[in-house]
């Protein structure tokens, strides 16, 4: 009995010692994890301090709450004033005049680095915060990005963002036809002769001075999976599949379901783009896009010409000379666009920018767009001149004049626009 009693005490003491040891070991592991987190935070703080401006001791980077990531915050904002005069509907003599103040490109951007090659990117579009349009709203981009995967030249993007299609360059305020088919985008006006009372290009407007406007351009606010490959500073290739949100019913309203399935079932929409630098200062872009929508291809709703897919190709260039000049341009062709068989689009652009001083630049841009809707043709032509002054703080001023023709003289528009903006 006594031996049994002592054995019980011995077993109990061993169990107590094991329990205390496990607590100590857990505390050691927790302490080690905390030390590693503190070390990682110190590394990020050191990197942030190295990035600090020369004129200030303030850091350009923050450390996350969990102390396991570096946070970079930036964005852009612009305030515009524009005066517009254009041909009045149904009249060749009278004109409509308008003046408007507007906030453009009010965005906040966050880059949260887990490592130098793996980070999370978030873009908040403050202008679209109250939008009810599916796919749009406050969050414009929300994606995970991996670069140099396993020390290779491959990268991966997953989340909500912009599709790799087109070059989409402009001078400043007045947007290129290559941007998108809205009359007034979030970055500035695109088509000057159109009625702003009906900005939806897929709904027939009541203004004779506004023709067809649906055409290929930037595709953003979509969920995508992208794979890219970079070869030094010579070549970059991007390919993605994405969830298209162009579904609409017979009244022009956005729709996301058709025959008990999504409009773009299994992500049948895709795009790819190549950036090529054959010479110093010269970059050449080529890309292709296919957008699929089951709803838009419903012939019972949209007629026998309805197609489930629309496609487009883009070719662009950007050349910065050894002197003060920069030239850029782009050509796009879209076929079966607007999900309509026989709806073809051609868009051409050419622009030049001259640096007068390091702070002051002058530019000119000319564009032409032709829309052929099964024999019904609309032509647009645009000329834009621009002056931009950049302060040392990064705040800039832009003054632009734009003139647009529609159908070669049937309607026209003049615009003078001023912008004060800041990229930070």
């Amino acid at each position: 009995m006594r031996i049994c009693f002592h054995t019980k005490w011995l077993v109990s003491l061993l169990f107590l010692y094991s329990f205390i040891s496990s607590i100590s070991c857990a505390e050691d592991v927790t302490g080690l994890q905390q030390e590693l987190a503190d070390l990682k935070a110190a590394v990020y703080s050191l990197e942030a301090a190295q990035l600090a401006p020369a004129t200030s001791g303030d850091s350009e980077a923050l450390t996350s709450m969990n102390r396991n990531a570096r946070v970079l915050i930036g964005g852009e904002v612009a305030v515009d004033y524009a005066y517009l005069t254009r041909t009045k509907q149904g009249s060749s003599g009278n004109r409509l005049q308008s003046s408007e103040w507007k906030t453009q490109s009010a965005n906040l951007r966050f880059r949260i680095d887990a490592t130098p090659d793996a980070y999370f990117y978030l873009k908040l579009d403050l202008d679209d915060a109250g939008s009810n349009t599916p796919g749009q709203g406050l969050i414009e981009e929300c994606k995970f990005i991996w670069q140099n995967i396993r020390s290779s030249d491959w990268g991966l993007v997953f989340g909500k963002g912009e599709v790799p299609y087109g070059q989409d360059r402009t001078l400043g305020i007045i947007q290129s036809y290559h941007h998108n088919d809205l009359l007034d985008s979030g970055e500035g006006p695109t088509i000057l002769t159109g009625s702003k009372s009906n900005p939806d290009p897929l709904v027939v407007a009541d203004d004779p001075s506004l023709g067809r406007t649906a055409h290929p351009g930037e595709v953003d606010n979509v969920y995508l999976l992208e794979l890219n490959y970079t070869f030094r500073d010579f070549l970059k290739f991007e390919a993605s599949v994405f969830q298209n949100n162009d579904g609409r019913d017979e009244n022009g309203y956005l729709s996301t379901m058709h025959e008990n399935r999504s409009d773009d079932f299994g992500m049948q929409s895709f795009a790819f783009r190549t950036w090529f630098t054959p010479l110093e200062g010269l970059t050449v872009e080529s890309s292709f896009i296919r957008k699929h929508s089951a709803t838009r291809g419903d012939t019972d709703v949209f007629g026998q010409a309805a197609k489930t897919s629309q496609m487009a190709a883009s070719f662009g260039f950007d050349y910065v000379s050894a002197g003060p000049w920069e030239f850029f341009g782009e050509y796009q062709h879209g076929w079966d666009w607007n999900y309509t068989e026989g709806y073809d689009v051609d868009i051409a652009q050419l622009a030049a920018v001259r640096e007068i001083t390091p702070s002051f630049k002058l530019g000119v841009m000319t564009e032409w767009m032709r829309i052929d809707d099964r024999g019904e043709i609309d032509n647009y032509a645009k000329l834009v001149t621009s002056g931009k002054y950049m302060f040392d703080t990064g705040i800039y001023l832009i003054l632009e004049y734009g003139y647009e023709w529609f159908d070669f003289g049937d309607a026209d528009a003049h615009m003078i626009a001023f912008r004060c903006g800041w990229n930070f």
Side-chain angles (χ1 to χ4, degrees):
M1 295 294 294
R2 184 176 299 175
I3 295 175
C4 182
F5 177 78
H6 288 306
T7 302
K8 290 181 179 178
W9 270 103
L10 180 61
V11 171
S12 300
L13 288 173
L14 288 174
F15 177 77
L16 181 60
Y17 175 77
S18 176
F19 178 72
I20 295 174
S21 298
S22 64
I23 294 177
S24 177
C25 181
E27 289 178 348
D28 289 343
V29 171
T30 303
L32 181 59
Q33 291 176 340
Q34 186 65 41
E35 289 179 5
L36 289 175
D38 291 341
L39 179 59
K40 199 170 186 178
V43 171
Y44 278 129
S45 298
L46 180 60
E47 291 178 351
Q50 292 175 346
L51 292 174
T55 58
S56 173
D58 296 334
S59 173
E60 289 184 349
L62 304 174
T63 302
S64 66
M65 293 180 67
N66 287 337
R67 295 188 291 182
N68 59 352
R70 184 178 64 170
V71 182
L72 300 171
I73 303 175
E76 56 270 344
V77 64
V79 177
D80 292 357
Y81 170 78
Y83 167 78
L84 172 71
T85 173
R86 66 176 183 84
T87 303
K88 185 178 180 180
Q89 61 177 359
S91 174
S92 59
N94 297 326
R95 302 185 68 83
L96 293 176
Q97 301 182 66
S98 65
S99 61
E100 182 180 21
W101 288 90
K102 192 170 185 180
T103 302
Q104 304 277 17
S105 301
N107 303 316
L108 282 178
R109 302 174 184 268
F110 301 83
R111 171 172 166 156
I112 305 171
D113 291 339
T115 71
D117 293 326
Y119 61 93
F120 174 73
Y121 179 80
L122 177 67
K123 177 183 176 183
L124 303 180
D125 189 340
L126 305 182
D127 286 330
D128 288 344
S131 175
N132 294 320
T133 303
Q136 297 186 9
L138 177 62
I139 301 177
E140 181 169 325
E141 295 190 42
C142 176
K143 55 191 178 182
F144 295 90
I145 300 174
W146 292 270
Q147 299 173 327
N148 305 315
I149 298 176
R150 298 187 67 86
S151 301
S152 70
D153 295 323
W154 292 92
L156 187 67
V157 179
F158 177 76
K160 185 180 183 182
E162 182 176 334
V163 171
Y165 171 75
Q167 180 172 268
D168 189 18
R169 285 288 309 277
T170 196
L171 293 178
I173 305 173
I174 300 174
Q175 299 299 297
S176 166
Y177 293 140
H178 294 289
H179 186 57
N180 59 35
D181 56 7
L182 298 178
L183 304 182
D184 193 59
S185 70
E187 286 77 25
T190 304
I191 296 177
L192 308 182
T193 54
S195 169
K196 294 189 178 183
S197 63
N198 195 346
D200 192 336
L202 296 179
V203 179
V204 177
D206 57 0
D207 190 338
S209 67
L210 173 61
R212 296 161 182 82
T213 62
H215 63 270
E218 174 191 72
V219 177
D220 57 2
N221 280 287
V222 297
Y223 289 92
L224 57 86
L225 174 62
E226 176 188 319
L227 185 67
N228 55 69
Y229 174 80
T230 304
F231 180 69
R232 298 177 184 173
D233 294 328
F234 181 71
L235 175 70
K236 182 175 183 179
F237 176 75
E238 306 161 282
S240 74
V241 292
F242 62 95
Q243 187 75 45
N244 185 29
N245 55 18
D246 273 355
R248 293 174 185 262
D249 60 21
E250 64 272 20
N251 296 316
Y253 296 106
L254 283 166
S255 170
T256 57
M257 296 296 293
H258 175 71
E259 295 177 355
N260 296 321
R261 59 175 178 157
S262 62
D263 277 308
D264 193 11
F265 183 74
M267 293 197 298
Q268 300 177 60
S269 299
F270 61 86
F272 57 83
R273 177 170 60 191
T274 300
W275 299 99
F276 177 52
T277 308
L279 301 171
E280 184 178 356
L282 175 63
T283 302
V284 179
E285 171 268 337
S286 62
S287 55
F288 175 85
I289 191 170
R290 176 185 186 259
K291 300 177 70 178
H292 180 85
S293 172
T295 297
R296 294 301 309 282
D298 191 337
T299 56
D300 293 334
V301 176
F302 293 98
Q304 293 302 310
K307 302 283 289 185
T308 57
S309 296
Q310 58 182 7
M311 295 163 287
S314 165
F315 305 92
F317 77 94
D318 184 5
Y319 176 67
V320 180
S321 68
W325 288 95
E326 178 183 4
F327 302 92
F328 63 87
E330 184 178 1
Y331 170 76
Q332 279 193 96
H333 178 74
W335 57 94
D336 292 343
W337 202 255
N338 204 23
Y339 302 98
T340 303
E341 184 176 10
Y343 189 110
D344 298 322
V345 183
D346 292 282
I347 308 173
Q349 174 204 54
L350 186 62
V353 179
R354 174 89 162 57
E355 183 181 282
I356 307 302
T357 70
S359 301
F360 181 55
K361 294 181 179 181
L362 292 175
V364 60
M365 178 179 72
T366 180
E367 295 189 309
W368 167 76
M369 179 169 66
R370 182 179 187 269
I371 298 176
D372 184 352
D373 183 5
R374 295 160 292 176
E376 297 291 331
I377 299 174
D378 290 326
N379 287 281
Y380 294 85
K382 183 193 297 177
L383 176 67
V384 180
T385 59
S386 177
K388 180 177 182 180
Y389 184 83
M390 179 78 72
F391 293 96
D392 294 338
T393 57
I395 296 176
Y396 62 88
L397 306 175
I398 297 178
L399 180 63
E400 283 189 2
Y401 166 74
Y403 184 44
E404 183 178 76
W405 302 264
F406 171 67
D407 273 346
F408 298 104
D410 291 343
D412 66 355
H414 301 264
M415 175 175 280
I416 298 176
F418 171 78
R419 168 175 293 179
C420 181
W422 191 24
N423 297 328
F424 56 91

